[in-house]
Amino acid sequence: MDTRNDQKETPMRHLRRIGYALGAALALGLIPATAHAATPVHVKEAEQSKCLDIRTEDDIFVPGARLQRFTCHSVNEQQWEILPLAGDAFLLRNPLTRMCVAAESAGFGAQVVERACGESDPAVRWFTLGGVPFVKGSGFNQIRSALASGSCLDTLDTFVKIFPCSPGLTNKAQLWAAV
């Protein structure tokens, strides 16, 4: 007599069932691409060779924490996952806070902050000049805002903001690389 059906659902069995269900959902493409973890990278700017950094004085776990350029270190505040979206768009998400790089508004010189990720939110969607993929080792390129047409990730003193994109690849404060 098979008594397996008579056994109670143990916590381990329950977790195993959930794992199988999640695996099947991933295989069938039912879970969006942003659910997959990407390998974290540093995002380095060309002007001073500093990294995109969440300002710790603003509390990195609070939406609206400002982003700055800061000397590159192996710290969580400088780790970014590049999450590809449809077309040439991508998100830059911090693996610790699970928040994304976002333009605070479409205005000239708007502050760049971290906030909740949403694939349909143009404030957190970015793309590069000419549709060149933004991946580790792809070199320096402009990171353009989907919120503010014609605006790029830029630096002004310490803080990261968005300003009108310079033609071509001439303004080093607007050139970023995944390293």
Side-chain angles (χ1 to χ4, degrees):
M1 178 173 165
D2 188 358
T3 59
R4 284 180 288 178
N5 293 335
D6 297 336
Q7 295 175 353
K8 288 186 175 182
E9 184 77 14
T10 65
M12 186 55 130
R13 271 193 167 165
H14 183 70
L15 289 174
R16 201 173 302 136
R17 280 179 185 242
I18 291 171
Y20 292 145
L22 285 173
L26 281 170
L28 293 172
L30 300 175
I31 298 176
T34 55
H36 301 275
T39 303
V41 297
H42 280 90
V43 177
K44 184 185 269 190
E45 52 88 33
E47 186 176 53
Q48 295 182 10
S49 291
K50 293 187 176 182
C51 287
L52 184 64
D53 179 271
I54 306 166
R55 189 169 186 266
T56 54
E57 294 87 353
D58 290 348
D59 188 348
I60 69 169
F61 292 101
V62 174
R66 293 175 287 179
L67 299 185
Q68 62 185 359
R69 64 177 167 186
F70 199 77
T71 303
C72 298
H73 297 287
S74 295
V75 295
N76 291 325
E77 296 86 0
Q78 295 180 358
Q79 297 293 308
W80 301 99
E81 296 168 326
I82 303 167
L83 304 174
L85 300 174
D88 298 333
F90 58 91
L91 304 176
L92 290 172
R93 180 177 71 184
N94 182 274
L96 178 66
T97 66
R98 310 297 284 174
M99 288 190 267
C100 285
V101 172
E104 215 167 33
S105 75
F108 179 87
Q111 183 69 50
V112 175
V113 298
E114 69 165 354
R115 74 173 195 210
C117 301
E119 291 182 22
S120 61
D121 180 359
V124 299
R125 293 171 62 92
W126 303 92
F127 58 97
T128 57
L129 178 67
V132 174
F134 190 70
V135 294
K136 187 172 184 173
S138 63
F140 286 100
N141 204 331
Q142 291 174 327
I143 299 178
R144 295 172 169 241
S145 171
L147 176 67
S149 179
S151 291
C152 285
L153 206 61
D154 199 329
T155 54
L156 180 63
D157 192 28
T158 298
F159 291 103
V160 179
K161 299 184 179 262
I162 57 169
F163 286 106
C165 299
S166 297
L169 301 174
T170 58
N171 182 351
K172 288 188 174 187
Q174 291 184 352
L175 297 180
W176 301 83
V179 295

